[in-house]
Amino acid sequence: MRFVDQRLQRLEELKRQRPQFFELLDFYQSLYGFFQQQPSLLDLNPDYTTATKRAEQGFPLLDADSLKFDDVRLEQFFVGLIDILSRHGHQGQDELERIRLALTERRFDAQALMRSCYERRRELLVTTAETLQVEPAVLAYLLDLTLSFALRSSVESLSLPATEKWQEGICPICGGLPSVGELSGEEGVRRLHCGSCGTDWEFPRQLCPFCGKQDEKEKEYFTAGDERGYRVDLCRACNCYLKVVDGRELGQGLPMDIEDVVTLYLDILAQREGFSQGKQPLV
């Protein structure tokens, strides 16, 4: 899987450049090392016959009906992922074990949970968490990681439509929200990177991807200290923020999900000021 190899390489570079993040980066190395050994969990069957019309109306290529998970592989993936989280985590060990046991005893429908995660519906997540006596946030994190791997590993093998005319703040492929933006080229063109499937698309810099407003009076940004190449765009119209990587400073083609991880301190700074990431959380 190309996306996994690229991320493992970047993580190795960052370990040398940012030793203060060693423990965090070590976890993600284990995580992507695990991903590298996994088969695809998901068959994607998009309706290409209606794709153009749907895109013109602002709808992404995929919907819940496009997703079909392999039940056996999905269960095996969950168990392996729980093992990684248990070995690297310091909290939630008992809850992870309860989820693992419930999986092996078939006490909840993993495929139904994955579909509700994709559609950002929280009801099934909450009721399942209550039944298993675990925090919804623990189960949500497990689902989000699994969905991201499933989508990324499957989307890279799809024949994807062009995204030049896509003007929405959601992903043109899966409908996910952007987790990071990237600036490139002499004019600093901004591309948004989907936090779910990893697809990127061009989006006007003057627009907020979360509310669509372009009033310059509502837009601000900040950087952290002397660190170059990273900034946070703020929108006071909707109180959302977007982290932005300047590829002109750091180089093009970096895996944005890894850049998202090593800039968690920027999330903390933005959230302390009352801004949210713009994501639609399960909990």
Side-chain angles (χ1 to χ4, degrees), residues 21-44:
F21 295 143
F22 183 88
E23 186 174 354
L24 177 66
L25 296 171
D26 189 55
F27 162 65
Y28 276 92
Q29 272 192 318
S30 295
L31 186 64
Y32 279 99
F34 169 70
F35 288 170
Q36 194 175 42
Q37 305 302 316
Q38 300 305 304
S40 176
L41 308 178
L42 181 63
D43 286 329
L44 293 177

PDB file of all heavy atoms in Angstrom, residues 21-44:
ATOM      1  N   PHE A  21       9.026  14.247  20.302  1.00  0.00           N
ATOM      2  CA  PHE A  21       7.782  13.539  20.002  1.00  0.00           C
ATOM      3  C   PHE A  21       8.007  12.040  19.823  1.00  0.00           C
ATOM      4  O   PHE A  21       7.183  11.362  19.217  1.00  0.00           O
ATOM      5  CB  PHE A  21       7.158  14.104  18.718  1.00  0.00           C
ATOM      6  CG  PHE A  21       6.704  15.529  18.823  1.00  0.00           C
ATOM      7  CD1 PHE A  21       6.842  16.390  17.742  1.00  0.00           C
ATOM      8  CD2 PHE A  21       6.145  16.016  19.985  1.00  0.00           C
ATOM      9  CE1 PHE A  21       6.416  17.705  17.823  1.00  0.00           C
ATOM     10  CE2 PHE A  21       5.719  17.323  20.079  1.00  0.00           C
ATOM     11  CZ  PHE A  21       5.857  18.174  19.005  1.00  0.00           C
ATOM     12  N   PHE A  22       9.105  11.524  20.353  1.00  0.00           N
ATOM     13  CA  PHE A  22       9.497  10.137  20.074  1.00  0.00           C
ATOM     14  C   PHE A  22       8.386   9.153  20.422  1.00  0.00           C
ATOM     15  O   PHE A  22       8.055   8.263  19.632  1.00  0.00           O
ATOM     16  CB  PHE A  22      10.770   9.765  20.840  1.00  0.00           C
ATOM     17  CG  PHE A  22      11.261   8.373  20.542  1.00  0.00           C
ATOM     18  CD1 PHE A  22      12.119   8.131  19.482  1.00  0.00           C
ATOM     19  CD2 PHE A  22      10.838   7.293  21.309  1.00  0.00           C
ATOM     20  CE1 PHE A  22      12.550   6.840  19.193  1.00  0.00           C
ATOM     21  CE2 PHE A  22      11.264   6.003  21.028  1.00  0.00           C
ATOM     22  CZ  PHE A  22      12.125   5.779  19.967  1.00  0.00           C
ATOM     23  N   GLU A  23       7.797   9.285  21.604  1.00  0.00           N
ATOM     24  CA  GLU A  23       6.789   8.308  22.041  1.00  0.00           C
ATOM     25  C   GLU A  23       5.577   8.322  21.117  1.00  0.00           C
ATOM     26  O   GLU A  23       5.055   7.270  20.725  1.00  0.00           O
ATOM     27  CB  GLU A  23       6.360   8.605  23.476  1.00  0.00           C
ATOM     28  CG  GLU A  23       5.431   7.546  24.057  1.00  0.00           C
ATOM     29  CD  GLU A  23       5.135   7.772  25.534  1.00  0.00           C
ATOM     30  OE1 GLU A  23       5.734   8.685  26.135  1.00  0.00           O
ATOM     31  OE2 GLU A  23       4.293   7.026  26.076  1.00  0.00           O
ATOM     32  N   LEU A  24       5.120   9.513  20.753  1.00  0.00           N
ATOM     33  CA  LEU A  24       3.980   9.635  19.850  1.00  0.00           C
ATOM     34  C   LEU A  24       4.308   9.045  18.477  1.00  0.00           C
ATOM     35  O   LEU A  24       3.519   8.284  17.905  1.00  0.00           O
ATOM     36  CB  LEU A  24       3.597  11.108  19.706  1.00  0.00           C
ATOM     37  CG  LEU A  24       2.464  11.440  18.739  1.00  0.00           C
ATOM     38  CD1 LEU A  24       1.143  10.860  19.237  1.00  0.00           C
ATOM     39  CD2 LEU A  24       2.358  12.951  18.536  1.00  0.00           C
ATOM     40  N   LEU A  25       5.480   9.382  17.953  1.00  0.00           N
ATOM     41  CA  LEU A  25       5.865   8.894  16.631  1.00  0.00           C
ATOM     42  C   LEU A  25       6.087   7.384  16.641  1.00  0.00           C
ATOM     43  O   LEU A  25       5.799   6.693  15.657  1.00  0.00           O
ATOM     44  CB  LEU A  25       7.119   9.618  16.161  1.00  0.00           C
ATOM     45  CG  LEU A  25       6.963  11.130  15.952  1.00  0.00           C
ATOM     46  CD1 LEU A  25       8.319  11.776  15.699  1.00  0.00           C
ATOM     47  CD2 LEU A  25       6.006  11.416  14.797  1.00  0.00           C
ATOM     48  N   ASP A  26       6.593   6.862  17.757  1.00  0.00           N
ATOM     49  CA  ASP A  26       6.796   5.426  17.883  1.00  0.00           C
ATOM     50  C   ASP A  26       5.458   4.682  17.815  1.00  0.00           C
ATOM     51  O   ASP A  26       5.349   3.622  17.177  1.00  0.00           O
ATOM     52  CB  ASP A  26       7.503   5.120  19.197  1.00  0.00           C
ATOM     53  CG  ASP A  26       7.936   3.671  19.293  1.00  0.00           C
ATOM     54  OD1 ASP A  26       8.644   3.194  18.389  1.00  0.00           O
ATOM     55  OD2 ASP A  26       7.572   3.000  20.283  1.00  0.00           O
ATOM     56  N   PHE A  27       4.444   5.266  18.452  1.00  0.00           N
ATOM     57  CA  PHE A  27       3.103   4.675  18.370  1.00  0.00           C
ATOM     58  C   PHE A  27       2.619   4.634  16.928  1.00  0.00           C
ATOM     59  O   PHE A  27       2.115   3.600  16.455  1.00  0.00           O
ATOM     60  CB  PHE A  27       2.126   5.463  19.237  1.00  0.00           C
ATOM     61  CG  PHE A  27       0.676   5.208  18.891  1.00  0.00           C
ATOM     62  CD1 PHE A  27       0.115   3.956  19.076  1.00  0.00           C
ATOM     63  CD2 PHE A  27      -0.119   6.220  18.367  1.00  0.00           C
ATOM     64  CE1 PHE A  27      -1.213   3.715  18.743  1.00  0.00           C
ATOM     65  CE2 PHE A  27      -1.443   5.986  18.033  1.00  0.00           C
ATOM     66  CZ  PHE A  27      -1.996   4.726  18.222  1.00  0.00           C
ATOM     67  N   TYR A  28       2.784   5.742  16.210  1.00  0.00           N
ATOM     68  CA  TYR A  28       2.295   5.772  14.830  1.00  0.00           C
ATOM     69  C   TYR A  28       3.123   4.875  13.911  1.00  0.00           C
ATOM     70  O   TYR A  28       2.605   4.333  12.932  1.00  0.00           O
ATOM     71  CB  TYR A  28       2.230   7.207  14.314  1.00  0.00           C
ATOM     72  CG  TYR A  28       0.939   7.879  14.723  1.00  0.00           C
ATOM     73  CD1 TYR A  28       0.853   8.613  15.904  1.00  0.00           C
ATOM     74  CD2 TYR A  28      -0.213   7.718  13.967  1.00  0.00           C
ATOM     75  CE1 TYR A  28      -0.349   9.190  16.301  1.00  0.00           C
ATOM     76  CE2 TYR A  28      -1.410   8.285  14.358  1.00  0.00           C
ATOM     77  CZ  TYR A  28      -1.477   9.022  15.522  1.00  0.00           C
ATOM     78  OH  TYR A  28      -2.677   9.572  15.915  1.00  0.00           O
ATOM     79  N   GLN A  29       4.386   4.687  14.223  1.00  0.00           N
ATOM     80  CA  GLN A  29       5.166   3.718  13.458  1.00  0.00           C
ATOM     81  C   GLN A  29       4.611   2.312  13.651  1.00  0.00           C
ATOM     82  O   GLN A  29       4.488   1.539  12.696  1.00  0.00           O
ATOM     83  CB  GLN A  29       6.635   3.768  13.880  1.00  0.00           C
ATOM     84  CG  GLN A  29       7.465   4.778  13.113  1.00  0.00           C
ATOM     85  CD  GLN A  29       8.947   4.582  13.351  1.00  0.00           C
ATOM     86  OE1 GLN A  29       9.387   4.331  14.473  1.00  0.00           O
ATOM     87  NE2 GLN A  29       9.729   4.722  12.295  1.00  0.00           N
ATOM     88  N   SER A  30       4.281   1.970  14.882  1.00  0.00           N
ATOM     89  CA  SER A  30       3.680   0.659  15.142  1.00  0.00           C
ATOM     90  C   SER A  30       2.332   0.537  14.439  1.00  0.00           C
ATOM     91  O   SER A  30       1.998  -0.510  13.880  1.00  0.00           O
ATOM     92  CB  SER A  30       3.504   0.449  16.652  1.00  0.00           C
ATOM     93  OG  SER A  30       4.743   0.390  17.313  1.00  0.00           O
ATOM     94  N   LEU A  31       1.564   1.616  14.474  1.00  0.00           N
ATOM     95  CA  LEU A  31       0.243   1.607  13.860  1.00  0.00           C
ATOM     96  C   LEU A  31       0.345   1.384  12.353  1.00  0.00           C
ATOM     97  O   LEU A  31      -0.333   0.502  11.792  1.00  0.00           O
ATOM     98  CB  LEU A  31      -0.456   2.931  14.157  1.00  0.00           C
ATOM     99  CG  LEU A  31      -1.918   3.068  13.727  1.00  0.00           C
ATOM    100  CD1 LEU A  31      -2.787   2.084  14.482  1.00  0.00           C
ATOM    101  CD2 LEU A  31      -2.402   4.507  13.961  1.00  0.00           C
ATOM    102  N   TYR A  32       1.217   2.147  11.682  1.00  0.00           N
ATOM    103  CA  TYR A  32       1.329   1.994  10.233  1.00  0.00           C
ATOM    104  C   TYR A  32       2.066   0.707   9.858  1.00  0.00           C
ATOM    105  O   TYR A  32       1.828   0.149   8.782  1.00  0.00           O
ATOM    106  CB  TYR A  32       1.993   3.215   9.617  1.00  0.00           C
ATOM    107  CG  TYR A  32       1.016   4.357   9.427  1.00  0.00           C
ATOM    108  CD1 TYR A  32       0.939   5.409  10.331  1.00  0.00           C
ATOM    109  CD2 TYR A  32       0.137   4.363   8.357  1.00  0.00           C
ATOM    110  CE1 TYR A  32       0.029   6.441  10.170  1.00  0.00           C
ATOM    111  CE2 TYR A  32      -0.783   5.380   8.184  1.00  0.00           C
ATOM    112  CZ  TYR A  32      -0.833   6.415   9.096  1.00  0.00           C
ATOM    113  OH  TYR A  32      -1.753   7.425   8.932  1.00  0.00           O
ATOM    114  N   GLY A  33       2.936   0.233  10.729  1.00  0.00           N
ATOM    115  CA  GLY A  33       3.535  -1.071  10.500  1.00  0.00           C
ATOM    116  C   GLY A  33       2.471  -2.161  10.517  1.00  0.00           C
ATOM    117  O   GLY A  33       2.518  -3.112   9.714  1.00  0.00           O
ATOM    118  N   PHE A  34       1.516  -2.027  11.416  1.00  0.00           N
ATOM    119  CA  PHE A  34       0.374  -2.945  11.464  1.00  0.00           C
ATOM    120  C   PHE A  34      -0.474  -2.813  10.204  1.00  0.00           C
ATOM    121  O   PHE A  34      -0.846  -3.814   9.577  1.00  0.00           O
ATOM    122  CB  PHE A  34      -0.454  -2.648  12.719  1.00  0.00           C
ATOM    123  CG  PHE A  34      -1.792  -3.329  12.758  1.00  0.00           C
ATOM    124  CD1 PHE A  34      -1.890  -4.701  12.920  1.00  0.00           C
ATOM    125  CD2 PHE A  34      -2.968  -2.591  12.633  1.00  0.00           C
ATOM    126  CE1 PHE A  34      -3.135  -5.335  12.961  1.00  0.00           C
ATOM    127  CE2 PHE A  34      -4.201  -3.203  12.672  1.00  0.00           C
ATOM    128  CZ  PHE A  34      -4.291  -4.585  12.835  1.00  0.00           C
ATOM    129  N   PHE A  35      -0.755  -1.573   9.798  1.00  0.00           N
ATOM    130  CA  PHE A  35      -1.530  -1.349   8.582  1.00  0.00           C
ATOM    131  C   PHE A  35      -0.870  -2.016   7.371  1.00  0.00           C
ATOM    132  O   PHE A  35      -1.553  -2.558   6.496  1.00  0.00           O
ATOM    133  CB  PHE A  35      -1.654   0.152   8.288  1.00  0.00           C
ATOM    134  CG  PHE A  35      -2.559   0.909   9.217  1.00  0.00           C
ATOM    135  CD1 PHE A  35      -2.586   2.299   9.187  1.00  0.00           C
ATOM    136  CD2 PHE A  35      -3.382   0.253  10.122  1.00  0.00           C
ATOM    137  CE1 PHE A  35      -3.425   3.012  10.031  1.00  0.00           C
ATOM    138  CE2 PHE A  35      -4.219   0.960  10.981  1.00  0.00           C
ATOM    139  CZ  PHE A  35      -4.243   2.346  10.926  1.00  0.00           C
ATOM    140  N   GLN A  36       0.456  -1.970   7.334  1.00  0.00           N
ATOM    141  CA  GLN A  36       1.203  -2.492   6.182  1.00  0.00           C
ATOM    142  C   GLN A  36       0.958  -3.983   5.980  1.00  0.00           C
ATOM    143  O   GLN A  36       1.059  -4.486   4.854  1.00  0.00           O
ATOM    144  CB  GLN A  36       2.692  -2.219   6.388  1.00  0.00           C
ATOM    145  CG  GLN A  36       3.552  -2.386   5.165  1.00  0.00           C
ATOM    146  CD  GLN A  36       4.986  -1.975   5.444  1.00  0.00           C
ATOM    147  OE1 GLN A  36       5.535  -2.293   6.497  1.00  0.00           O
ATOM    148  NE2 GLN A  36       5.585  -1.238   4.537  1.00  0.00           N
ATOM    149  N   GLN A  37       0.623  -4.684   7.048  1.00  0.00           N
ATOM    150  CA  GLN A  37       0.445  -6.131   6.974  1.00  0.00           C
ATOM    151  C   GLN A  37      -1.004  -6.539   6.730  1.00  0.00           C
ATOM    152  O   GLN A  37      -1.296  -7.735   6.615  1.00  0.00           O
ATOM    153  CB  GLN A  37       0.917  -6.776   8.290  1.00  0.00           C
ATOM    154  CG  GLN A  37       2.337  -6.423   8.689  1.00  0.00           C
ATOM    155  CD  GLN A  37       3.353  -6.792   7.635  1.00  0.00           C
ATOM    156  OE1 GLN A  37       3.273  -7.892   7.072  1.00  0.00           O
ATOM    157  NE2 GLN A  37       4.308  -5.917   7.371  1.00  0.00           N
ATOM    158  N   GLN A  38      -1.917  -5.558   6.649  1.00  0.00           N
ATOM    159  CA  GLN A  38      -3.336  -5.890   6.601  1.00  0.00           C
ATOM    160  C   GLN A  38      -3.881  -5.930   5.173  1.00  0.00           C
ATOM    161  O   GLN A  38      -3.519  -5.105   4.334  1.00  0.00           O
ATOM    162  CB  GLN A  38      -4.143  -4.869   7.415  1.00  0.00           C
ATOM    163  CG  GLN A  38      -3.751  -4.802   8.864  1.00  0.00           C
ATOM    164  CD  GLN A  38      -3.812  -6.153   9.542  1.00  0.00           C
ATOM    165  OE1 GLN A  38      -4.848  -6.825   9.544  1.00  0.00           O
ATOM    166  NE2 GLN A  38      -2.687  -6.563  10.109  1.00  0.00           N
ATOM    167  N   PRO A  39      -4.771  -6.875   4.908  1.00  0.00           N
ATOM    168  CA  PRO A  39      -5.473  -6.878   3.615  1.00  0.00           C
ATOM    169  C   PRO A  39      -6.558  -5.805   3.617  1.00  0.00           C
ATOM    170  O   PRO A  39      -6.897  -5.238   4.659  1.00  0.00           O
ATOM    171  CB  PRO A  39      -6.093  -8.283   3.565  1.00  0.00           C
ATOM    172  CG  PRO A  39      -6.339  -8.619   5.010  1.00  0.00           C
ATOM    173  CD  PRO A  39      -5.193  -7.999   5.772  1.00  0.00           C
ATOM    174  N   SER A  40      -7.097  -5.531   2.471  1.00  0.00           N
ATOM    175  CA  SER A  40      -8.180  -4.557   2.366  1.00  0.00           C
ATOM    176  C   SER A  40      -9.399  -5.041   3.152  1.00  0.00           C
ATOM    177  O   SER A  40      -9.731  -6.234   3.151  1.00  0.00           O
ATOM    178  CB  SER A  40      -8.553  -4.334   0.903  1.00  0.00           C
ATOM    179  OG  SER A  40      -9.648  -3.468   0.801  1.00  0.00           O
ATOM    180  N   LEU A  41     -10.048  -4.127   3.819  1.00  0.00           N
ATOM    181  CA  LEU A  41     -11.239  -4.462   4.598  1.00  0.00           C
ATOM    182  C   LEU A  41     -12.524  -4.168   3.850  1.00  0.00           C
ATOM    183  O   LEU A  41     -13.606  -4.556   4.285  1.00  0.00           O
ATOM    184  CB  LEU A  41     -11.272  -3.634   5.903  1.00  0.00           C
ATOM    185  CG  LEU A  41     -10.048  -3.647   6.804  1.00  0.00           C
ATOM    186  CD1 LEU A  41     -10.279  -2.726   7.989  1.00  0.00           C
ATOM    187  CD2 LEU A  41      -9.741  -5.049   7.254  1.00  0.00           C
ATOM    188  N   LEU A  42     -12.409  -3.458   2.745  1.00  0.00           N
ATOM    189  CA  LEU A  42     -13.566  -2.801   2.167  1.00  0.00           C
ATOM    190  C   LEU A  42     -13.601  -2.951   0.655  1.00  0.00           C
ATOM    191  O   LEU A  42     -12.595  -2.758  -0.024  1.00  0.00           O
ATOM    192  CB  LEU A  42     -13.474  -1.310   2.534  1.00  0.00           C
ATOM    193  CG  LEU A  42     -14.566  -0.346   2.098  1.00  0.00           C
ATOM    194  CD1 LEU A  42     -15.891  -0.727   2.734  1.00  0.00           C
ATOM    195  CD2 LEU A  42     -14.178   1.077   2.509  1.00  0.00           C
ATOM    196  N   ASP A  43     -14.762  -3.299   0.146  1.00  0.00           N
ATOM    197  CA  ASP A  43     -15.018  -3.243  -1.292  1.00  0.00           C
ATOM    198  C   ASP A  43     -15.820  -1.980  -1.564  1.00  0.00           C
ATOM    199  O   ASP A  43     -16.864  -1.756  -0.935  1.00  0.00           O
ATOM    200  CB  ASP A  43     -15.819  -4.459  -1.756  1.00  0.00           C
ATOM    201  CG  ASP A  43     -14.977  -5.721  -1.798  1.00  0.00           C
ATOM    202  OD1 ASP A  43     -13.768  -5.610  -2.058  1.00  0.00           O
ATOM    203  OD2 ASP A  43     -15.533  -6.811  -1.554  1.00  0.00           O
ATOM    204  N   LEU A  44     -15.321  -1.150  -2.478  1.00  0.00           N
ATOM    205  CA  LEU A  44     -16.019   0.074  -2.837  1.00  0.00           C
ATOM    206  C   LEU A  44     -16.663  -0.098  -4.206  1.00  0.00           C
ATOM    207  O   LEU A  44     -16.008  -0.505  -5.158  1.00  0.00           O
ATOM    208  CB  LEU A  44     -15.047   1.258  -2.877  1.00  0.00           C
ATOM    209  CG  LEU A  44     -14.440   1.677  -1.538  1.00  0.00           C
ATOM    210  CD1 LEU A  44     -13.449   2.820  -1.739  1.00  0.00           C
ATOM    211  CD2 LEU A  44     -15.521   2.094  -0.551  1.00  0.00           C
TER     212      LEU A  44
END
